[in-house]
Amino acid sequence: MKKYILDLSVKAVERLSDKHVLLRLTDEKPLPEMLPGQFVEVRVDGSSSTFLRRPISINFVDREANELWLMVAMVGEGTRKLGELKPGDTLNCVLPLGNGFLANSQKPKSKSYLLVGGGVGVAPLLYLGEELQKQGCEVTFLLGGRSEKDLLELNLFNKYGRVCVTTEDGTMGEKGFVTNHSILSESFDQIFTCGPTPMMKAVARYAKEKGISCEASLENMMACGLGACLCCVEKTTEGNLCVCKDGPVFDVQRLLWA
């Protein structure tokens, strides 16, 4: 898929929580094709200590409004600088990068999908859920957070499927981790997951026990986004692979998590 370097205009900045913002970006021309699970490398301007681009998952693509949505967790100076952007500012982006969910087949073969996300890892699941719904699939989201305030975009997830929630402190949904939720007693044809590595490993173990195909979107540290710097290497059954180029989405059977 062709890659682009674009100066996108910030159309809106929405505060999702005290740690998260949603950047809605647009361009004068139609935005290029982007797949659920791919990501963007953004340049951080105005920060004297931020030299490398920051990888941000594609949260959603609104074709009618010609908008690209990026959910940013403000955890360091670079991402905090992104959170200070205002409508009318320009953000330089390299996109789309990596592969996406369903990379081997863009047309889903199964009907019932479980999409499991934790923290900011829920971001790419929104766009995936919309795509699966458009193709007539049954979508269930299983989203987890430490508390109610960590659960983001629930109103939007509800548009594209059934939403199940867990919180570690019990302030919303079932108390515990996503792998403790009662929904897992149901059967699903395929699972997609993104979030903290321990959570994804637990989801992968569940999928293996149930004999369900599972794809995970890894969040290794990525700098170049093109497979040149080798800082995001993951050990797989095929040797060391760059998450930014060969991923970020992998069938969990290719990973050495076990």
Side-chain angles (χ1 to χ4, degrees):
M1 184 177 291
K2 185 176 180 180
K3 299 174 177 60
Y4 300 82
I5 302 177
L6 301 176
D7 284 322
L8 299 181
S9 175
V10 178
K11 188 174 181 179
V13 181
E14 300 178 13
R15 178 73 63 169
L16 300 179
S17 74
D18 59 345
K19 299 178 182 178
H20 301 86
V21 295
L22 178 68
L23 304 179
R24 290 167 46 197
L25 311 174
T26 190
D27 195 21
E28 295 179 355
K29 298 179 180 179
L31 292 168
E33 179 185 4
M34 289 172 271
L35 302 176
Q38 291 186 305
F39 68 99
V40 177
E41 285 274 2
V42 301
R43 189 180 70 205
V44 181
D45 296 326
S47 173
S48 59
S49 64
T50 306
F51 305 104
L52 301 174
R53 289 177 180 266
R54 293 293 184 264
I56 309 291
S57 297
I58 293 172
N59 178 216
F60 195 74
V61 179
D62 185 335
R63 288 294 171 189
E64 287 189 14
N66 197 39
E67 290 180 358
L68 164 64
W69 297 6
L70 301 180
M71 183 190 293
V72 179
M74 296 178 290
V75 295
E77 183 175 344
T79 47
R80 285 196 296 268
K81 200 69 179 178
L82 294 175
E84 297 173 1
L85 290 169
K86 296 179 175 55
D89 288 342
T90 297
L91 186 63
N92 184 269
C93 301
V94 182
L95 75 162
L97 296 171
N99 63 14
F101 295 104
L102 296 165
N104 296 324
S105 173
Q106 298 308 318
K107 293 186 178 180
K109 297 179 180 180
S110 43
K111 296 182 179 180
S112 179
Y113 287 86
L114 177 65
L115 281 57
V116 186
V120 76
V122 304
L125 302 183
L126 182 66
Y127 188 26
L128 174 62
E130 188 227 20
E131 181 61 30
L132 292 173
Q133 186 197 66
K134 286 195 301 185
Q135 299 192 40
C137 301
E138 296 178 6
V139 179
T140 299
F141 298 102
L142 176 53
L143 310 175
R146 290 177 179 169
S147 68
E148 180 180 7
K149 65 182 181 180
D150 297 313
L151 298 169
L152 309 172
E153 298 186 321
L154 292 185
N155 59 323
L156 297 175
F157 281 106
N158 273 299
K159 294 173 60 177
Y160 304 115
R162 175 176 51 161
V163 177
C164 302
V165 164
T166 67
T167 50
E168 294 177 32
D169 63 1
T171 50
M172 177 176 274
E174 296 187 14
K175 185 175 182 179
F177 302 114
V178 289
T179 45
N180 304 132
H181 199 284
S182 58
I183 195 68
L184 296 181
S185 63
E186 298 184 15
S187 60
F188 298 93
D189 297 311
Q190 189 163 359
I191 298 173
F192 300 104
T193 184
C194 184
T197 298
M199 182 210 77
M200 291 195 291
K201 288 183 177 180
V203 172
R205 287 194 295 269
Y206 165 82
K208 183 178 181 180
E209 292 170 1
K210 299 295 184 180
I212 305 172
S213 175
C214 179
E215 292 184 3
S217 178
L218 275 56
E219 297 185 321
N220 295 31
M221 184 70 70
M222 292 182 276
C224 70
L226 301 170
C229 69
L230 304 180
C231 73
C232 65
V233 165
E234 178 77 18
K235 294 181 179 180
T236 74
T237 57
E238 303 154 43
N240 292 337
L241 296 178
C242 290
V243 169
C244 67
K245 180 174 65 70
D246 302 300
V249 179
F250 291 89
D251 186 312
V252 295
Q253 294 186 14
R254 299 173 65 195
L255 303 173
L256 299 182
W257 285 351

